[in-house]
Amino acid sequence: MANTPLRRLACATVLAVLAIPAGASAATTDYAAPGGAWNILTPGQAGGLIPSTNSTDQALMYDALTPLRGNITSSTITGGQYFKSEAFQIPAIADAGTKPGCFHPPGKALTTICRDSFGVPHVKTDSRSNGAFTMGYLAAADRKLLIEYGRGAGYVSAMSVPGINAFGLITNARKFTPGADAKKFMNDQIEAFRKPSGTTNTENEAIYQDFVSYVAGVNAWYQQNGTVAEKADIVANPWTVADVIAAYSFIGSIFGAGGGREVENSQFLSVLTRKFGATQGLRIFRDMRNSNDPESQVSSGTKSFKWNSQPTNTTVAGTPGSLLIDEGSKQSTFSRVTGALPDAPRKNYMSNALMIPAKRSTTGKPLAVMGPQLGYFYPEIVMEVDIHGGGYDFRGAVAPVGPYGLIGRGKDYAWSLTSANNDNVDVFLEKLCVPGGGTPTRSSKGYEYKGQCRAMTSVNAGDLARTGDGQGDNAARSVTYWESVHGPISGTVAVGGVPYAIASQRSTRGREAWSARAMADLTLNKVSSPKTFFSTANKFELTFNWHYVDYKNVCNFSSGRLPVRADGVDSSLPTLGTGNYDWKGFITQAQHPQSCNPTYSTSNKASGLILNWNNRPGKDWGAADDEWSYGPLHRVGLFSRLFKLKNKGKVNPADVVSVMNQAATQDASAVEVWSTIKSALAGASAPNAGAQNVYNAIDSWITNNDASRLDAEANAADGTVGKGKFDFPGVAAWDQARGRIIDAVLGGRLDSETLSALWRVSDGGGKTYTGAGPGYVSKDLRKLLGQPVLGSYTGFTTGNGVYCGAGVKSACQTALWKALSDAAPVLQSQFSSATPSAWLGNAAAERIEFPPLKPNGLTMRWTNRPTFQQIISFSKHR
């Protein structure tokens, strides 16, 4: 890397990471390997309305790593240009008031906070309560902008208010004021948490007291540092434990939940049933669902973890607990939400973990490169804290909604999370009725449950502000909705012409505080082995994949309060809500996908590793109803492929970071499927020069340039974009051809109406970078070519069950060439040239920005990396 202003700034910044004021004492309980703990948090620690140096300094380092791709060395990690140290740093109590950057929080003479040059706070405290207080104080200091808007919106998240995207309230600066019903909902669950069996639970009560101290810290910061108006407001309307635990629910509502799209799935199946009949329509539906594809890559080895299995019925009638709704009958007006924001489409999850057991490590100690992708926002959702004393020994990422770390490290272990998207949300269809008799309509407020016509409950969640100054037409609007025994009502459908209400049941609703037990154990260093790690991770009721490393082990565990469903239910479809098909409990710890130190085969350089990129966690683990991409191709395969290409029996930290960073700029939708497309086209000539040009551009890009989407010349040092174009014509060619190829393959059997219905329901749009489409192409074309296929499609019995060309190879080839041919004039128009060398695309359009504030106009190159990432290894144990 040249000696650019970016490099000079990054060097100056990172080399100062350990510049804790003189007199700070070294940590005595840090068992990380020498030079073995590093991290990065983009864009930075600070999160004020007016950005400071620490708002964007780590973004510069983060962006500088991207163009190195797989060319990572040991000095890349340890040299101070791309990562900062994650070593423990414990200031002395006496440093407060005597050393620059060090101070006591108000009223805490035995607690000291010292900030380093990145703005990261390093804390020495004397008690657990003061540690929790300090975590609240720091949350207000570093994420005031976020928590102010998250305070009310957390109630929307916790209550699962229909029709509103709770996180969207924050990003759109919409204020929500919880009403009496919302506050009662939160306070009732807090009381149930403290006394789950009617008597006080000691562990839970200690956690509750931590939240009390945390809230005191938040309020203390406002009282000490707020504006005159803020100080007056915090006295009149102080933060409460209910506020914080409601905000705590954001973790689950955004990243820790799966399912809830059964109505949309049923609408797609209704289209298939109309066109192909009940039996064949269901077979096609299951081809596309990828519920349990035997070719999908899993993270927990070969052991079977059977859950959420797809039933074997041949028509929907074989699962009487699941309903096929009338096509086009969904209406969402029943929620009665006024002035609300619509639900946003699901984001693609991009968190990842690369775990290397000791036997695969050149150091003889396990290695981990891991982190969550929380989205590129300003301020970033999490902040960093290094805190010690009173039981605390933690450094890492902290969500500003509680007194514990979310992801990071303890004395002799570290952990991270990726979203698992396990199916913990189900839609129940409540059969509407009229109390006392009568014919129900969509507006009826009674529903059949266990033989009775029950009345729905009306809930007034609170007031949602409109944009503007809150006066006149911009005044707040009341948010009300109805609930059944299964949860909030979001609308109605018809089944055979009979009206049903749509209710959503989330397994963690009303239990937001319970997952804090896991975070407390990890932050307070109560984990000491894989056994205690598993039991701790199992306390976390949200659906996450956990990754753990200590000095001997790497392990993974997929968590969640996951329901056991009744017989006669297809979890891909809505469940009949009359009471006969309610959940039958929740799975046990042993039933969750989990593993440690997988076996290594010298003949397979990708074995013996734990790799996760939000892929399926375990064999025979059924995908959530909103997860369609667990097919034969998944972005986690990029990791396996790159480790094979390195062809090393043992790897060092630089090798692992190289794999992570190179995969981060690869187009996962192209890397492995293109070779199959080439094989299918072999022997058939291009119909015209345009089609051949598109083919050549894609082939050269994937074969010679590893499907890289990198804009190597882009420069974020001053907020500008360099060349602003992708380096290879194949990027633009593939972007235009990919969707056409997928449609060409499936179009051998499915018409345009059916395909449109599929892409509406398939996650990620199906044809996108992370969608299911490339996997459909791979499996179908391999079957056509007579190559090995597990889990062949069964939707059609003719033509060997192949979709493309209805199983006729020449017809499939014609369709594929047409897809490439149709892309050519679009590219010619886009770039005013039929010559591929001119198809360089607009990389500037894919620049990473930091909404909603976009501090200082900063942007970064496109990459697919965690927003908080650790590189860590331990040499010793307590």
Side-chain angles (χ1 to χ4, degrees):
M1 182 178 179
N3 188 25
T4 61
L6 171 60
R7 175 172 182 169
R8 292 194 297 271
L9 176 59
C11 287
T13 308
V14 184
L15 290 176
V17 68
L18 298 182
I20 301 298
S25 60
T28 58
T29 56
D30 189 341
Y31 294 97
W38 303 85
N39 73 26
I40 191 76
L41 171 67
T42 188
Q45 175 71 15
L49 180 61
I50 301 175
S52 68
T53 300
N54 294 142
S55 295
T56 58
D57 49 358
Q58 294 184 64
L60 304 180
M61 300 159 62
Y62 187 98
D63 185 59
L65 185 77
T66 301
L68 300 184
R69 302 201 76 227
N71 300 312
I72 305 296
T73 65
S74 176
S75 62
T76 306
I77 299 171
T78 62
Q81 293 175 249
Y82 310 99
F83 297 95
K84 66 185 196 301
S85 172
E86 198 182 45
F88 285 171
Q89 292 293 310
I90 307 177
I93 298 297
D95 286 341
T98 64
K99 307 297 181 183
C102 295
F103 59 97
H104 296 309
K108 306 298 178 184
L110 296 180
T111 298
T112 296
I113 301 171
C114 292
R115 291 190 183 270
D116 64 22
S117 61
F118 284 100
V120 175
H122 302 266
V123 180
K124 171 66 176 177
T125 190
D126 64 319
S127 68
R128 177 169 169 171
S129 62
N130 283 343
F133 175 96
T134 304
M135 293 288 267
Y137 183 87
L138 292 170
D142 289 356
R143 289 297 181 272
K144 169 189 158 186
L145 188 64
L146 189 63
I147 67 174
E148 281 183 345
Y149 285 105
R151 183 180 183 181
Y155 287 84
V156 174
S157 171
M159 298 177 76
S160 301
V161 176
I164 301 181
N165 174 5
F167 192 66
L169 297 181
I170 298 176
T171 57
N172 288 281
R174 297 284 295 278
K175 185 178 180 180
F176 181 84
T177 303
D181 287 352
K183 292 180 178 180
K184 183 179 186 304
F185 178 84
M186 291 308 306
N187 286 321
D188 284 351
Q189 69 167 287
I190 291 170
E191 187 63 19
F193 175 74
R194 297 175 69 186
K195 299 179 179 181
S197 58
T199 58
T200 300
N201 178 289
T202 303
E203 177 189 5
N204 292 9
E205 181 63 19
I207 289 170
Y208 170 76
Q209 294 302 328
D210 288 344
F211 274 92
V212 170
S213 297
Y214 177 91
V215 165
V218 172
N219 291 328
W221 185 89
Y222 276 97
Q223 291 167 348
Q224 182 185 54
N225 302 286
T227 64
V228 172
E230 288 171 339
K231 290 178 179 179
D233 183 63
I234 209 67
V235 171
N237 187 27
W239 276 73
T240 67
V241 173
D243 292 341
V244 176
I245 292 181
Y248 199 77
S249 71
F250 271 121
I251 299 170
S253 67
I254 303 171
F255 305 107
R261 295 277 293 175
E262 292 93 341
V263 167
E264 288 72 20
N265 291 352
S266 188
Q267 289 186 113
F268 175 49
L269 181 55
S270 294
V271 174
L272 292 173
T273 300
R274 169 169 55 85
K275 287 181 171 290
F276 298 98
T279 299
Q280 187 175 6
L282 185 59
R283 291 204 309 264
I284 297 169
F285 177 80
R286 288 177 175 166
D287 282 351
M288 302 294 101
R289 268 286 290 122
N290 286 322
S291 176
N292 187 13
D293 191 328
E295 293 186 322
S296 65
Q297 186 166 335
V298 301
S299 297
S300 294
T302 59
K303 182 178 178 180
S304 175
F305 295 94
K306 192 172 183 179
W307 175 73
N308 201 31
S309 300
Q310 182 174 272
T312 58
N313 56 298
T314 57
T315 68
V316 174
T319 51
S322 298
L323 301 179
L324 183 64
I325 69 171
D326 297 349
E327 187 177 341
S329 67
K330 179 184 178 182
Q331 294 181 5
S332 299
T333 56
F334 194 50
S335 62
R336 300 199 311 158
V337 176
T338 306
L341 298 171
D343 289 320
R346 293 188 65 84
K347 293 182 178 293
N348 294 317
Y349 298 127
M350 303 293 185
S351 310
N352 59 46
L354 301 87
M355 311 286 288
I356 316 300
K359 57 181 171 287
R360 291 294 311 271
S361 168
T362 58
T363 67
K365 300 296 181 184
L367 309 172
V369 177
M370 55 190 182
Q373 169 51 261
L374 300 168
Y376 296 100
F377 297 104
Y378 179 79
E380 182 51 74
I381 296 173
V382 298
M383 59 188 193
E384 187 175 0
V385 175
D386 177 25
I387 182 169
H388 307 276
Y392 281 87
D393 266 308
F394 166 82
R395 180 169 181 178
V398 174
V401 290
Y404 312 118
L406 178 65
I407 293 165
R409 55 160 303 200
K411 296 178 182 179
D412 51 10
Y413 62 88
W415 76 95
S416 191
L417 304 174
T418 67
S419 293
N421 198 33
N422 295 323
D423 198 353
N424 71 342
V425 181
D426 277 358
V427 166
F428 285 80
L429 295 187
E430 315 290 16
K431 189 174 183 180
L432 296 174
C433 59
V434 178
T439 303
T441 67
R442 286 180 182 260
S443 60
S444 297
K445 304 302 185 291
Y447 65 101
E448 294 183 14
Y449 187 71
K450 294 187 176 181
Q452 296 182 341
C453 186
R454 292 197 178 192
M456 294 180 186
T457 302
S458 179
V459 179
N460 186 334
D463 296 327
L464 176 66
R466 294 216 176 168
T467 56
D469 59 7
Q471 303 297 318
D473 190 50
N474 289 318
R477 300 295 193 265
S478 177
V479 175
T480 62
Y481 62 93
W482 298 96
E483 281 189 1
S484 73
V485 68
H486 295 112
I489 305 295
S490 61
T492 60
V493 296
V495 178
V498 176
Y500 287 76
I502 304 168
S504 179
Q505 182 169 10
R506 171 168 57 90
S507 68
T508 55
R509 187 173 186 261
R511 297 177 61 90
E512 312 302 341
W514 287 82
S515 291
R517 298 175 303 158
M519 298 290 92
D521 284 357
L522 287 157
T523 306
L524 299 171
N525 274 258
K526 294 183 179 180
V527 173
S528 59
S529 66
K531 181 179 179 180
T532 54
F533 162 67
F534 287 147
S535 62
T536 293
N538 190 55
K539 293 179 180 180
F540 205 65
E541 297 191 348
L542 308 175
T543 71
F544 282 91
N545 299 312
W546 291 70
H547 300 93
Y548 166 88
V549 59
D550 61 25
Y551 82 124
K552 282 187 177 180
N553 306 285
V554 291
C555 304
N556 67 308
F557 183 93
S558 194
S559 71
R561 188 171 188 251
L562 304 179
V564 176
R565 294 177 172 86
D567 292 337
V569 167
D570 183 339
S571 65
S572 293
L573 301 173
T575 300
L576 179 62
T578 53
N580 297 327
Y581 300 98
D582 286 358
W583 292 343
K584 304 302 181 183
F586 302 90
I587 68 173
T588 66
Q589 177 180 324
Q591 292 174 299
H592 288 263
Q594 55 196 282
S595 67
C596 285
N597 307 319
T599 302
Y600 168 56
S601 169
T602 56
S603 63
N604 181 1
K605 297 302 188 290
S607 67
L609 308 171
I610 296 176
L611 305 174
N612 186 272
W613 210 344
N614 306 114
N615 52 289
R616 195 155 69 119
K619 181 182 177 183
D620 298 324
W621 189 256
D625 58 85
D626 64 337
E627 179 58 76
W628 292 59
S629 65
Y630 288 171
L633 298 183
H634 191 280
R635 58 184 173 270
V636 73
L638 297 176
F639 292 155
S640 301
R641 175 178 173 273
L642 290 172
F643 275 114
K644 289 178 182 177
L645 291 176
K646 286 188 175 295
N647 199 32
K648 292 184 177 182
K650 294 187 176 183
V651 296
N652 60 37
D655 294 326
V656 187
V657 176
S658 291
V659 168
M660 176 279 302
N661 197 50
Q662 184 169 346
T665 56
Q666 284 182 291
D667 192 317
S669 69
V671 171
E672 294 190 47
V673 73
W674 179 247
S675 61
T676 305
I677 296 170
K678 285 178 63 177
S679 296
L681 286 172
S685 300
N688 51 58
Q692 189 66 56
N693 284 340
V694 173
Y695 177 101
N696 292 342
I698 295 171
D699 189 52
S700 175
W701 168 59
I702 295 173
T703 303
N704 301 320
N705 307 113
D706 206 29
S708 169
R709 298 185 71 93
L710 181 70
D711 174 20
E713 296 184 48
N715 178 17
D718 56 2
T720 64
V721 178
K723 186 176 181 181
K725 296 181 179 179
F726 289 117
D727 293 351
F728 312 109
V731 178
W734 179 248
D735 284 350
Q736 289 298 332
R738 177 180 57 226
R740 291 178 169 85
I741 289 171
I742 296 168
D743 279 344
V745 169
L746 298 181
R749 302 282 193 176
L750 307 179
D751 63 16
S752 59
E753 181 190 10
T754 307
L755 287 174
S756 294
L758 169 62
W759 303 137
R760 283 195 299 271
V761 71
S762 176
D763 60 295
K767 296 189 285 185
T768 65
Y769 166 79
T770 58
Y776 299 150
V777 172
S778 172
K779 189 183 288 285
D780 197 59
L781 293 185
R782 283 185 286 118
K783 183 70 172 181
L784 176 73
L785 296 169
Q787 297 175 0
V789 176
L790 297 176
S792 298
Y793 295 141
T794 63
F796 295 87
T797 56
T798 60
N800 206 20
V802 172
Y803 281 77
C804 191
V808 178
K809 185 175 180 181
S810 60
C812 178
Q813 290 174 324
T814 298
L816 291 172
W817 274 122
K818 185 178 186 304
L820 296 171
S821 178
D822 288 348
V826 179
L827 290 161
Q828 180 175 347
S829 175
Q830 182 180 353
F831 298 104
S832 301
S833 176
T835 304
S837 60
W839 301 345
L840 293 181
N842 183 8
E846 292 199 14
R847 297 288 291 185
I848 293 171
E849 298 179 336
F850 294 90
L853 298 183
K854 302 178 184 177
N856 300 330
L858 176 77
T859 66
M860 300 191 306
R861 299 170 180 84
W862 180 87
T863 188
N864 181 3
R865 285 176 60 195
T867 42
F868 174 77
Q869 188 168 49
Q870 299 179 89
I871 304 169
I872 194 158
S873 181
F874 294 93
S875 59
K876 296 179 181 180
H877 198 61
R878 277 169 280 177

